[in-house]
Amino acid sequence: MKKQWIGFMIAGMLVAAVPTNVNAEDCYHNWSYSADYTKLDDTYHQAEYYCYYCNAKKTEKEKHTWLYEEILEDQYDANYHTVQYECMDCGAVKTEKQAHSWEDEDYDEYYTYYYENKKYHTYEQKCEECNAKRELRAPHRYFSFYDKIAKYATFNKKGILVYSCIDCDGTKKVYKKWKSGTDYSRNYDIKHGTVFNRQTSITVKLKRPSKGTVLQATIGTKKYKKKIKNNKKTVKLNIKPAEYGEKVKLALYYKGKKIGKDSCDYNDEVWYSNRVTEGMTQKQVRYTWGAPSSTSSSSYGFTYWNWDDGSMVSFRNGVVDYWFDAAN
Ligand SMILES: [Zn+2]
Ligand SMILES: [Zn+2]
Ligand SMILES: [Zn+2]
Ligand SMILES: [Zn+2]
């Protein structure tokens, strides 16, 4: 419209400046810009021109001069939206379909994800030009680590780990077999007290007493077994008197599979009894009562050890001759 108006101005000025008394047949014509267009069909309009000199008129069939107009935001289907163009000369209008330009899928923070089923979530993508939306589905995405232990694995039952989808609130459960040392597996380790050389039983503490498991103690070369039948945390295992310094090892088994180990990093040897008896060496007494607070010697091969609680031991020629135990 604006151009038509300018056309009128220019034509008007030139017409005013040039006399129009020239005979049309003699005129070499100087055609104006057209200011008058008529739409003919979807491809053509007709333009009218006037000669500046003789006022002769001619018409031309010309193609529309399409000018991009706008996207009709509410006219769309699944794949296309509508772009409307207008001829800048005659005002004719045409529309064309144009593929949607869907939001870039890499920018997933655009989206809100909805859980659909075990495998998929859905999200809605928008056309950047019109109001079209489409629903897409994608498989859930899980980090390689789980976010919850729903159930701890035990030696005879699988545990359940829960993974959450990074995008939606979907979760998946993964069943895991018990495996020693993993954070989703129950711990069946065991502990024992000090084993003295004259003991006829050993006391073992079970972290998780479980029926059907078998406690095995190895003391020196001897092996002892006991089947666990209740939920008591403390178990006594009968043994034959062991030798000082023999190694003590414990393990817990279920159907031949080792499920718990000895978590003692001390007390793994047989010690002397806490009772001092005649004939013990100084080394054995030291193991039994600890180091004395004072010692003294006399002639005839006597040595005396004294402790703060009043206990004392008298050694003759290096072995216990008599003693006094203040604690008993
Ligand atoms: Zn002319
Ligand atoms: Zn046109
Ligand atoms: Zn669109
Ligand atoms: Zn998901």
Side-chain angles (χ1 to χ4, degrees):
M1 297 309 261
K2 199 175 174 189
K3 193 163 178 191
Q4 283 178 348
W5 184 75
I6 292 165
F8 271 123
M9 290 272 291
I10 295 165
M13 287 188 306
L14 290 170
V15 168
V18 181
T20 56
N21 55 355
V22 185
N23 189 326
E25 278 142 40
D26 303 330
C27 183
Y28 51 86
H29 298 315
N30 184 2
W31 299 110
S32 66
Y33 291 102
S34 176
D36 201 352
Y37 297 89
T38 313
K39 180 188 171 183
L40 294 175
D41 56 33
D42 285 346
T43 313
Y44 297 100
H45 54 221
Q46 178 182 279
E48 252 178 38
Y49 298 91
Y50 292 90
C51 171
Y52 290 134
Y53 303 141
C54 71
N55 257 341
K57 188 176 125 183
K58 70 161 182 177
T59 59
E60 300 272 356
K61 192 179 174 185
E62 294 172 350
K63 281 193 169 173
H64 294 298
T65 317
W66 296 118
L67 183 74
Y68 165 80
E69 223 17 65
E70 62 178 323
I71 286 166
L72 302 176
E73 289 186 358
D74 289 320
Q75 287 187 34
Y76 57 83
D77 58 28
N79 299 311
Y80 301 100
H81 51 231
T82 308
V83 190
Q84 180 179 281
Y85 300 89
E86 195 177 313
C87 174
M88 63 186 284
D89 298 320
C90 74
V93 164
K94 71 160 179 178
T95 58
E96 263 178 21
K97 285 194 164 187
Q98 191 182 64
H100 293 299
S101 49
W102 299 112
E103 285 164 337
D104 192 338
E105 288 188 50
D106 292 340
Y107 292 96
D108 50 16
E109 62 265 31
Y110 283 167
Y111 306 120
T112 309
Y113 293 85
Y114 300 96
Y115 177 84
E116 187 187 330
N117 59 33
K118 260 185 163 181
K119 266 191 161 174
Y120 297 101
H121 51 226
T122 56
Y123 58 100
E124 201 176 64
Q125 221 177 25
K126 287 176 184 147
C127 173
E128 283 167 338
E129 309 284 355
C130 73
N131 292 330
K133 290 168 184 176
R134 68 173 176 181
E135 201 179 69
L136 295 179
R137 73 179 354 194
H140 297 296
R141 293 192 295 156
Y142 297 105
F143 281 129
S144 53
F145 48 88
Y146 54 88
D147 67 357
K148 209 174 95 188
I149 300 168
K151 204 172 177 190
Y152 284 90
T154 64
F155 62 86
N156 55 359
K157 267 196 176 150
K158 284 178 179 175
I160 302 171
L161 305 180
V162 178
Y163 290 76
S164 294
C165 174
I166 298 160
D167 300 316
C168 74
D169 51 9
T171 55
K172 73 166 173 182
K173 285 179 179 176
V174 173
Y175 291 80
K176 283 288 221 183
K177 266 191 175 174
W178 182 88
K179 197 183 167 198
S180 172
T182 57
D183 55 356
Y184 57 81
S185 297
R186 291 294 189 198
N187 185 327
Y188 293 93
D189 286 350
I190 45 192
K191 265 189 193 171
H192 64 88
T194 306
V195 181
F196 296 103
N197 58 333
R198 292 198 185 167
Q199 269 175 225
T200 51
S201 69
I202 171 172
T203 303
V204 178
K205 287 203 166 171
L206 303 175
K207 188 149 194 165
R208 226 168 282 284
S210 314
K211 266 188 186 175
T213 57
V214 175
L215 177 64
Q216 183 178 293
T218 309
I219 300 167
T221 54
K222 295 188 186 84
K223 278 195 163 83
Y224 305 95
K225 282 184 184 178
K226 185 164 188 170
K227 201 156 193 175
I228 306 302
K229 288 173 183 164
N230 54 38
N231 289 330
K232 279 188 190 163
K233 287 205 163 186
T234 306
V235 175
K236 259 191 171 181
L237 199 66
N238 291 329
I239 58 168
K240 286 174 184 143
E243 298 288 318
Y244 165 75
E246 279 186 330
K247 294 282 179 197
V248 177
K249 269 199 143 183
L250 293 172
L252 196 65
Y253 289 86
Y254 181 71
K255 290 185 176 170
K257 184 184 177 183
K258 191 176 180 179
I259 59 167
K261 59 181 195 307
D262 192 345
S263 63
C264 291
D265 50 8
Y266 56 97
N267 287 347
D268 56 352
E269 282 181 21
V270 175
W271 289 64
Y272 282 113
S273 154
N274 57 354
R275 287 187 181 277
V276 167
T277 54
E278 214 176 313
M280 274 185 168
T281 62
Q282 291 188 341
K283 193 179 170 190
Q284 290 170 335
V285 172
R286 199 180 275 269
Y287 269 120
T288 306
W289 282 357
S293 37
S294 66
T295 61
S296 58
S297 299
S298 71
S299 47
Y300 314 113
F302 282 96
T303 307
Y304 307 97
W305 285 11
N306 294 282
W307 283 263
D308 286 337
D309 68 351
S311 298
M312 67 82 69
V313 172
S314 164
F315 297 96
R316 190 180 182 183
N317 298 324
V319 296
V320 176
D321 183 44
Y322 67 93
W323 71 98
F324 173 66
D325 184 358
N328 281 293

